[in-house]
């Protein structure tokens, strides 16, 4: 989107089919545009070298999201899950959210990202964030147990790469007192019940 808006300044983007991702991009732009921390210099350095508040505002105004359509994998994060995350995990966990999760889950991670306690983005962005947080603590060589908790707002398929990354960091640093816990909250509707009835 950012590059398209640079190449075609008056571009009008009709975003689909993933409504969640489209609305989350709108939210991301809104947060950046409303935050005094996101100066033109920070936008150029951290987001895109050819953008400013003015160009992002124009892009945001020209971003239209189709109202229906979602990613079935990310649809399992809903209001019930978000309420549980806020009540049980928000204060002592890092929050992560893929761009395609429903808005409520995205907003939690976005809130925490503003204080470097969370991340929103691609699976690669999420993995980089978790890796950085574990590495930061492991390099301090703590003498008491440090358990880092991450709420994973994306598909469970990421867990293997996260585990491998954390194990590599702990092995390289020789840290024996750092643990990383991955919390994967999903709606009860996404869990299939089984019976013990063999007959």
């Amino acid at each position: 989107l950012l590059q398209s808006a640079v190449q075609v300044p008056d571009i009008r983007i009709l975003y689909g089919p993933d409504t969640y991702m489209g609305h989350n991009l709108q939210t991301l732009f809104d947060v950046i545009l409303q935050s005094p921390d996101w100066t033109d210099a920070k936008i150029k350095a951290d987001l895109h070298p050819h953008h400013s508040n003015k160009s992002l505002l124009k892009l945001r105004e020209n971003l239209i999201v189709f109202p229906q359509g979602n990613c079935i994998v990310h649809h399992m994060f809903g209001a019930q899950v978000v309420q549980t995350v806020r009540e049980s995990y928000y204060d002592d966990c890092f929050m992560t959210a893929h761009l395609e999760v429903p808005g409520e889950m995205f907003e939690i991670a976005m809130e925490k990202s503003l204080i470097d306690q969370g991340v929103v983005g691609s699976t690669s962005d999420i993995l980089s964030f978790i890796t950085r947080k574990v590495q930061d603590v492991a390099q301090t060589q703590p003498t008491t147990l440090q358990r880092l908790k991450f709420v994973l707002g994306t598909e469970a398929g990421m867990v293997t790469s996260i585990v491998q990354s954390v194990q590599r960091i702990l092995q390289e640093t020789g840290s024996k007192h750092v643990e990383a816990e991955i919390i994967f909250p999903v709606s009860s509707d996404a869990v299939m019940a089984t019976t013990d009835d063999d007959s």
Side-chain angles (χ1 to χ4, degrees), residues 10-24:
D10 292 322
I11 194 168
R12 191 160 179 84
I13 298 170
L14 306 175
Y15 197 90
D18 195 317
T19 304
Y20 293 144
M21 188 170 189
H23 285 299
N24 292 341

Side-chain angles (χ1 to χ4, degrees), residues 25-100:
L25 287 168
Q26 288 176 325
T27 299
L28 178 64
F29 290 144
D30 289 343
V31 167
I32 289 170
L33 290 167
Q34 294 167 9
S35 173
D37 294 335
W38 281 92
T39 62
D40 286 345
K42 182 173 175 60
I43 289 170
K44 287 182 186 316
D46 294 349
L47 199 59
H48 194 283
H50 299 293
H51 275 285
S52 65
N53 274 284
K54 184 178 178 181
S55 66
L56 283 184
L57 178 60
K58 188 173 185 179
L59 174 58
R60 171 61 182 91
E61 290 169 349
N62 288 326
L63 177 59
I64 299 160
V65 178
F66 286 119
Q68 296 176 346
N70 60 47
C71 170
I72 193 70
V73 173
H74 294 103
H75 192 61
M76 64 185 129
F77 301 98
Q80 172 199 10
V81 171
V82 171
Q83 181 179 351
T84 300
V85 167
R86 277 207 187 274
E87 291 172 359
S88 303
Y89 301 105
Y90 187 85
D91 293 333
D92 65 343
C93 293
F94 295 102
M95 300 290 162
T96 71
H98 193 272
L99 289 167
E100 296 176 2

